[in-house]
């Protein structure tokens, strides 16, 4: 396959001279005298020309600084363009002469004018490169095993019951250590598939470390498997299905009466419910289907929504393609319960910005998603005391999820929705405002970060550091949003610091990564992506549909991103992580001291004073659900 890098010698004939190998050279110096060809050519004392003319663009420059062995091009791009043009002409010529059936690539080239052909071929090459990257990622993933990762580091995984949106999240039941199951017997030389009973030694999400009955304390043949897999059955399934139970070859000599052994071992033991596999299957049925139309946040302008079409559904996660994307590559990934997607007409109903599609009528087969399929938000009463434009609060920055920032309510929409902007970094036209519901766990009252010892990111350019809310409110003539208006619910979520899970990288939402819970503040979790620096951490709600149990990717067939090694971190210069790094390098404000001098004052367990140096002023609402957390 031609790739523009074929090589030839200095004396190559003119018919193939475009197929040159390019030397690795430094970028063209900025002070290099490149001039238009005016006919003046400098010559060395030996008679050879000291200047050269680029055969692609006609520019003239110092010969020694030109690219390729024959010094025919002023830059790498010119050399590649010239070589690419020659190759494409050669391909078309061979097709006409040989009469061979054209390939898919040749058909694309033949049907279009030269410029379009070059663009089409470039896209074709890019597709090949993406396929190669995908294959390389798959090869990398083959080396990662959740079981080995957990065993070798004595990690603990978050239980499935922490994830209500995940398969079996609400009906996991009493599955725990010592539960017995029937599984294929891999320690057997029989030509047919046989089974044996194993007990759960350790649970890690959907994954279980199993040990065959009869091995007692011998862990030599322990193995990990997904408990929701098709080869895992409750005890009694083999008898009902006519499948043979055969003891492993390693321990076959230990007992002469295996039936009596099993009766003794299994009396009073727990096993999976008889309808377990049916429940797994039912919990993996999703109402969203391809071709459904939704309104989803515009990933390039968070202040508005756009129409998108469901392209595929994997484990409840939707790949949405924006309706105007002709090549269907402009996409967005999210869970079907994400607060970022809504039914058609939602934006108009609440007064949210919406980008109208150039497509005047729905494409064949596309249809609007029924409104009842979307996640419901809590109803609120906006008739009494409510949020107002200009009120201050603290909010997770959706463009840098590792930070909680000083923010302002910019617009109050219907049904409890708010448009919020980050102080100090807002666009004049409000194009970077974002929408949160009043009950969103991503917004907090003034003082939340200080009380819970979280670093608050002050407005960009704010010079009075360390940042003090009292001073800032006085300087801006603003008021804090009443504390009583914020979400006070803290569910018994079950997460603990150090637990492992699989989490969406919300800055690149098509990726799901190996992750760890590193901090818990009420219902707020600090998620760390294993192998990456802390600056890439993300604040996520405990009920976020972007968190999954260990083994979810294997169960649903989604690709899991393994922990990043040092080499891979250094090599991914163009990855989303680098984009996040650029974002995270923005000014975050003064680092807090180790010991924070918090000056809050609880009054009758109801109100609290956050205004430093102004103890006679009280904030509005209740704060008894915000308690001081140890770091």
């Amino acid at each position: 396959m031609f790739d523009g890098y074929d090589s030839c010698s200095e004396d190559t004939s003119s018919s193939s001279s475009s197929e040159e190998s390019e030397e690795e050279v430094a970028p063209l110096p900025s002070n290099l005298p490149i001039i238009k060809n005016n006919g003046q050519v400098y010559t060395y004392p030996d008679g050879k020309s000291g200047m050269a003319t680029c055969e692609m663009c006609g520019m003239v420059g110092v010969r020694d600084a030109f690219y390729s062995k024959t010094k025919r091009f002023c830059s790498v791009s010119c050399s590649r363009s010239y070589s690419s043009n020659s190759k494409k002409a050669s391909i078309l010529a061979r097709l006409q002469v040989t009469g061979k059936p054209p390939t898919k690539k040749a058909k694309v080239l033949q049907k279009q004018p030269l410029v379009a052909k070059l663009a089409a071929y470039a896209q074709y090459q890019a597709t090949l490169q993406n396929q190669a990257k995908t294959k390389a990622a798959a090869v990398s993933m083959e080396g990662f095993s959740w079981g080995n990762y957990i065993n070798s580091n004595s990690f603990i995984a978050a239980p499935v019951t922490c994830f209500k949106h995940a398969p079996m999240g609400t009906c996991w039941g009493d599955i725990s250590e010592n539960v017995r199951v029937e599984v294929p017997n891999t320690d057997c030389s029989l030509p047919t598939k046989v089974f044996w009973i194993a007990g759960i030694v350790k649970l890690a999400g959907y994954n279980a470390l199993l040990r065959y009955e009869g091995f007692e304390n011998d862990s030599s043949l322990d193995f990990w498997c997904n408990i929701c897999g098709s080869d895992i059955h409750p005890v009694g399934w083999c008898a009902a299905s006519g499948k043979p139970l055969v003891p492993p070859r390693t321990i076959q000599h230990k007992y002469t009466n295996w039936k009596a052994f099993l009766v003794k071992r299994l009396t009073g033991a727990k096993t999976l419910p008889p309808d377990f596999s049916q429940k797994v299957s039912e919990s993996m049925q999703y109402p969203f289907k391809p071709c459904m139309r939704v309104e989803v946040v515009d990933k390039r302008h968070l202040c508005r929504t756009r129409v998108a079409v469901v392209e595929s559904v994997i484990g409840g996660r939707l790949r949405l393609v924006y309706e105007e994307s002709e090549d269907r590559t402009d996409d967005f990934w999210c869970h079907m319960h994400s607060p970022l997607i809504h039914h058609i007409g939602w934006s108009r109903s609440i007064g949210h910005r919406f980008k109208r599609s150039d497509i005047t009528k729905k494409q064949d087969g596309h249809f609007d998603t029924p409104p009842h399929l979307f996640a419901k938000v809590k109803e609120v009463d906006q008739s009494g005391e409510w949020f107002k434009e200009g009120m201050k609060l603290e909010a997770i920055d959706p463009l840098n999820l590792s930070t909680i920032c000083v923010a302002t309510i910019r617009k109050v929409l219907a049904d409890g929705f708010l448009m919020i902007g980050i102080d100090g970094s807002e666009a004049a036209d409000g194009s970077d405002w974002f929408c949160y519901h009043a009950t969103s766990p991503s917004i907090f009252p003034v003082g939340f970060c200080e009380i819970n010892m979280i670093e608050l990111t002050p407005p960009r350019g704010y010079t009075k550091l360390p940042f003090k809310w009292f001073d800032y409110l006085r300087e801006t003539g603003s008021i804090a949003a009443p504390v009583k208006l914020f979400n006070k619910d803290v569910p018994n979520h079950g997460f603990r610091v150090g637990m492992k899970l699989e989490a969406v990288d919300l800055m690149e939402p098509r990726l799901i990564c190996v992750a760890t819970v590193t901090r818990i503040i009420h219902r707020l979790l600090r998620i760390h992506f294993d192998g990456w620096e802390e600056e890439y951490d993300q604040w996520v709600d405990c009920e976020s549909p972007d968190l999954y149990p260990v083994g979810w990717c294997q169960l649903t067939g989604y690709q899991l991103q393994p922990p990043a090694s040092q080499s891979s971190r250094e090599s991914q210069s163009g990855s989303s992580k680098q984009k996040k790094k650029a974002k995270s390098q923005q000014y975050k404000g003064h680092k807090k001291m180790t010991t924070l001098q918090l000056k809050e004052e609880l009054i009758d367990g109801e109100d609290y004073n956050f205004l430093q140096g102004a103890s006679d002023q009280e904030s509005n609402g209740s704060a008894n659900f915000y308690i001081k957390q140890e770091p």
Side-chain angles (χ1 to χ4, degrees):
M1 176 67 68
F2 166 69
D3 60 3
Y5 292 90
D6 297 330
S7 62
C8 67
S9 62
E10 284 282 358
D11 58 350
T12 304
S13 62
S14 59
S15 63
S16 61
S17 60
S18 64
E19 302 181 11
E20 297 183 304
S21 65
E22 296 170 1
E23 301 172 320
E24 288 291 326
V25 294
L28 204 62
S30 58
N31 59 353
L32 183 65
I34 298 294
I35 58 175
K36 283 288 185 182
N37 187 3
N38 58 7
Q40 299 178 357
V41 181
Y42 171 81
T43 56
Y44 285 113
D46 59 2
K48 293 184 178 180
S49 172
M51 304 293 288
T53 303
C54 178
E55 296 185 15
M56 184 63 193
C57 67
M59 300 296 283
V60 176
V62 179
R63 177 184 176 84
D64 289 342
F66 267 46
Y67 287 73
S68 79
K69 293 181 180 178
T70 53
K71 307 298 181 184
R72 296 167 56 201
F73 306 103
C74 67
S75 66
V76 172
S77 61
C78 280
S79 175
R80 291 177 176 171
S81 297
Y82 187 94
S83 179
S84 180
N85 289 348
S86 300
K87 276 292 183 182
K88 289 161 188 57
S90 175
I91 291 171
L92 294 175
R94 284 199 297 269
L95 288 171
Q96 295 172 357
V97 173
T98 61
K100 293 182 178 180
T103 61
K104 182 178 179 181
K105 171 181 67 178
K107 288 178 181 178
V108 173
L109 293 173
Q110 283 179 313
K111 290 181 180 178
Q112 302 174 347
L114 180 59
V115 174
K117 290 172 184 174
L118 296 180
Y121 193 80
Q123 185 176 3
Y124 177 79
Q125 293 281 50
T127 300
L128 293 179
Q129 292 176 1
N130 288 337
Q131 290 175 348
K133 290 178 181 178
T134 302
K135 185 176 180 180
V139 171
S140 173
M141 187 59 208
E142 286 178 359
F144 176 77
S145 164
W146 262 121
N148 293 338
Y149 190 57
I150 289 175
N151 269 354
S152 59
N153 299 279
S154 299
F155 290 142
I156 298 176
V160 174
T161 52
C162 290
F163 310 88
K164 305 302 182 186
H165 58 282
M168 302 297 292
T170 58
C171 54
W172 189 246
D174 295 330
I175 300 175
S176 59
E177 296 178 4
N178 296 320
V179 165
R180 307 305 207 281
V181 292
E182 294 180 352
V183 295
N185 178 4
T186 58
D187 184 26
C188 181
S189 58
L190 296 176
T192 57
K193 188 175 185 179
V194 296
F195 293 79
W196 190 240
I197 295 171
I200 298 178
V201 177
K202 185 175 184 178
L203 265 180
Y206 293 117
N207 293 345
L209 179 63
L210 299 179
R211 181 175 300 169
Y212 288 122
E213 280 297 335
F215 274 79
E216 308 301 337
N217 296 322
D218 181 3
S219 61
S220 60
L221 286 186
D222 287 3
F223 60 98
W224 285 90
C225 70
N226 195 302
I227 206 71
C228 296
S230 58
D231 274 337
I232 311 298
H233 307 281
V235 172
W237 176 84
C238 284
S241 305
K243 303 292 183 181
L245 279 174
V246 179
R249 180 174 49 185
T250 304
I251 59 171
Q252 210 162 22
H253 64 280
K254 291 183 65 175
Y255 301 95
T256 56
N257 190 342
W258 281 100
K259 183 177 181 179
F261 167 81
L262 289 180
V263 170
K264 181 178 180 181
R265 292 284 295 176
L266 299 180
T267 299
K270 292 182 179 180
T271 188
L272 300 178
D275 60 347
F276 183 77
S277 61
Q278 180 182 346
K279 287 184 177 180
V280 171
S281 178
E282 291 174 352
S283 67
M284 295 182 67
Q285 301 299 314
Y286 308 104
F288 281 78
K289 307 297 179 185
C291 295
M292 284 184 170
R293 299 171 76 241
V294 301
E295 287 186 10
V296 63
V297 65
D298 186 340
K299 64 183 180 182
R300 294 182 181 84
H301 301 280
L302 299 184
C303 67
R304 69 187 186 189
T305 58
R306 296 171 62 183
V307 173
V309 179
V310 177
E311 181 76 8
S312 59
V313 183
I314 304 178
R317 289 187 57 77
L318 313 177
R319 178 178 180 257
L320 302 173
V321 176
Y322 290 114
E323 198 168 46
E324 293 177 299
S325 176
E326 295 182 358
D327 59 0
R328 310 198 67 75
T329 59
D330 190 7
D331 61 358
F332 183 82
W333 281 91
C334 68
H335 193 271
M336 63 182 184
H337 294 154
S338 170
L340 301 178
I341 61 172
H342 310 276
H343 62 85
I344 298 296
W346 173 84
S347 297
R348 175 181 294 182
S349 69
I350 70 161
H352 194 283
R353 288 190 191 179
F354 175 75
K355 181 184 178 183
R356 295 188 180 279
S357 172
D358 293 335
I359 302 173
T360 56
K361 71 175 185 177
K362 290 182 286 188
Q363 299 182 18
D364 292 342
H366 294 176
F367 58 99
D368 296 350
T369 306
H372 71 271
L373 297 185
F374 296 88
K376 300 295 187 296
V377 294
K378 185 178 179 180
E379 293 185 3
V380 294
D381 180 12
Q382 296 183 223
S383 60
E385 186 177 12
W386 192 243
F387 293 99
K388 294 181 174 61
E389 291 184 18
M391 283 183 172
K392 299 295 182 180
L393 69 164
E394 299 174 4
I396 297 175
D397 184 354
L399 294 178
N400 186 8
L401 295 162
S402 66
T403 62
I404 299 178
C405 307
V406 173
T408 303
I409 297 173
R410 293 304 179 187
K411 189 176 181 181
V412 179
L413 308 179
D415 296 342
F417 288 94
L418 310 170
M419 295 302 295
I420 297 173
I422 300 298
D423 285 22
S425 60
E426 296 178 68
D429 59 356
S431 59
D432 56 356
W433 295 354
F434 48 93
C435 184
Y436 280 148
H437 193 263
T439 60
S440 169
S442 298
I443 58 174
F444 317 96
V446 163
F448 172 82
C449 284
E450 185 176 11
I451 290 176
N452 292 288
M453 305 184 74
I454 301 173
E455 181 180 348
L456 176 67
T457 301
R460 185 188 302 176
Y462 188 74
T463 56
K464 293 186 64 174
L465 303 175
F467 177 85
K468 299 296 180 185
W469 264 116
F470 175 69
D471 294 337
Y472 185 67
L473 292 174
R474 183 177 56 188
E475 292 166 6
T476 58
S478 306
I479 61 173
V483 175
K484 65 182 180 181
L485 299 181
F486 292 84
N487 184 2
K488 304 176 181 64
D489 296 334
V490 182
N492 183 20
H493 47 69
F495 286 103
R496 299 290 181 268
V497 171
M499 283 183 170
K500 296 293 178 182
L501 69 163
E502 299 176 2
V504 175
D505 177 355
L506 293 170
M507 302 308 293
E508 187 65 47
R510 65 183 178 86
L511 302 179
I512 297 183
C513 312
V514 173
T516 307
V517 178
T518 58
R519 196 173 177 196
I520 302 174
I521 307 294
H522 309 299
R523 63 181 301 144
L524 194 62
L525 309 180
R526 181 80 171 179
I527 301 299
H528 173 74
F529 297 104
D530 290 20
W532 292 96
E533 291 80 7
E534 290 183 2
E535 60 189 296
Y536 303 128
D537 290 1
Q538 297 178 1
W539 288 108
V540 181
D541 182 60
C542 64
E543 294 183 342
S544 168
D546 295 306
L547 303 178
Y548 303 98
V550 165
W552 181 89
C553 283
Q554 179 188 0
L555 177 63
T556 60
Y558 205 98
Q559 182 175 336
L560 176 67
Q561 304 299 315
S565 62
Q566 182 176 357
S567 59
S568 64
R569 288 198 302 268
E570 294 171 350
S571 65
Q572 295 183 15
S573 58
S575 68
S576 63
K577 293 293 185 183
Q578 291 297 330
K579 293 178 184 177
K580 288 195 295 182
K581 185 173 182 179
K583 174 71 179 176
S584 66
Q585 286 174 339
Q586 294 178 0
Y587 177 69
K588 291 184 178 180
H590 183 73
K591 297 287 184 182
K592 291 187 181 293
M593 294 181 294
T594 304
T595 302
L596 295 176
Q597 298 181 359
L598 306 177
K599 295 187 176 180
E600 70 271 17
E601 180 179 327
L602 296 177
I603 302 177
D604 296 331
E606 292 289 337
D607 300 330
Y608 76 102
N609 190 322
F610 65 91
L611 301 177
Q612 186 165 343
S615 58
D616 57 332
Q617 300 185 42
E618 294 183 6
S619 62
N620 295 320
S622 169
N624 59 336
F625 65 103
Y626 290 125
I627 58 174
K628 182 176 177 181
Q629 300 288 307
E630 292 300 326

